[in-house]
Amino acid sequence: MASSYPKGLATRQRLIDSMLALIQLHGYHGTGLNTVLARSGAPKGSLYFHFPEGKTELGIAAVGLAGDQFAELIGSATTTASSPNAVVDALVAELKGILEASDYQAGCPVSSVALDAGSGNEPLREACGQVYDAWVSAVVSYLATFGLEKEQAQPVATSMICLVEGSLILSRAHKSTQPLDAAAGTLKMLMKAVHSEASA
Amino acid sequence: MASSYPKGLATRQRLIDSMLALIQLHGYHGTGLNTVLARSGAPKGSLYFHFPEGKTELGIAAVGLAGDQFAELIGSATTTASSPNAVVDALVAELKGILEASDYQAGCPVSSVALDAGSGNEPLREACGQVYDAWVSAVVSYLATFGLEKEQAQPVATSMICLVEGSLILSRAHKSTQPLDAAAGTLKMLMKAVHSEASA
DNA sequence: TGAATAATAGACCAGTCTATATATTTTATG
DNA sequence: CATAAAATATATAGACTGGTCTATTATTCA
């Protein structure tokens, strides 16, 4: 069970934050625990105290944090923006900011873990799947606000998440926001299409 | 310069094939060269003989092969299928076959490398970018066959590739083809939209 | 304050990592 | 056949890996 003491909590959080930051740069297998320790300033004993299952458990916590952060982005964009296009613009602006601020290094922790560890580490694979589900659900909820039935919304929401993840990867490979910009255009097209479909 | 002798060529190819297969399972950093050697049956001296720049060079060759294989899939679908929807169906059927045959382990080598090694290894990042460019170009060429201008086609083609890559990742995380199926529906929607746009 | 628990600290371990080195074998060709 | 180049084969090296272990310190709470 997780600690409830403030100082331990802070150490634990630094470990998760560091793991998340490094996974984005090097992937799961490319992130060595010693670099996590160096970055977080936590002692090795603390790592195994807080995460007795080791690297996997820390990886799961990092994926969970990434999931929460992106869900927060989706939630913020969908509650404050005034139109589907504005939602896309808000979200893409945030993602762009993240990409540019990090010289295209940041942005895709969950997919990174899914690809790196998803074939031989079932708990990690499931953690990624759950995060994706949460993101898709958030988009479905938004699409429901203009009357789209869940069954209709689900595949489109899934595609939107796929599109965003894919575009972040291509943006990284190209060191350019062009793929993300292209995805923004396509997301708007999809929003428009489902909006029409919901009105019909 | 690469060898032109048949026996050496075969060894070299086995190394690339093996690297590609293992990257799909474990990512770039999670693939150790000793496992590549074990899988290919090649001796270590041969690895460095054929790839004097080491792991990076082998990784680039593997990415190139993956790029060629997927470009072949795109080419085949776009030349044999009778309609945009049939193109999508053909491509998705192939990808589905790959996913299912491999228990969702195979399918995303280029994105795997882009995420794993794209931040610290410039030659690998560029190799991934070039493969993505080739794929986007192949889709642009197809979209041009129904009259879409290149400038119009480029962002949509980019999004299509992003969508497919993303959907393969989500399919892996879910151990289900549902994300790929969802992407297929969305690809058809996009095909329809650009088809209308080209006719207008 | 004292006791129990939480957390830290860092040494140690066996295994794996990528790459180097060098001797040997194989291949190609005149 | 002889020679040069290609390719193979395997031992070696230092660095890094995730995890274990145990002593010590810090924190919590009655």
Side-chain angles (χ1 to χ4, degrees), chain A residues 51-136:
Chain A
F51 302 98
E53 305 303 322
K55 192 175 183 178
T56 293
E57 191 177 349
L58 180 56
I60 289 168
V63 165
L65 178 60
D68 293 343
Q69 288 178 350
F70 192 60
E72 173 65 35
L73 275 198
I74 298 176
S76 179
T78 55
T79 52
T80 60
S82 53
S83 69
N85 282 357
V87 168
V88 172
D89 285 337
L91 194 61
V92 167
E94 282 288 326
L95 292 173
K96 243 175 162 174
I98 290 164
L99 280 181
E100 283 165 348
S102 65
D103 196 32
Y104 302 94
Q105 315 309 319
C108 277
V110 180
S111 293
S112 204
V113 172
L115 286 172
D116 234 22
S119 75
N121 187 322
E122 200 62 10
L124 269 171
R125 182 193 66 75
E126 280 183 14
C128 294
Q130 278 165 27
V131 165
Y132 289 137
D133 280 343
W135 293 350
V136 170

Side-chain angles (χ1 to χ4, degrees), chain B residues 4-21:
Chain B
S4 51
Y5 299 155
K7 193 154 177 223
L9 276 181
T11 300
R12 187 177 186 280
Q13 194 57 45
R14 283 200 321 276
L15 284 165
I16 299 170
D17 291 340
S18 298
M19 181 67 166
L20 180 53

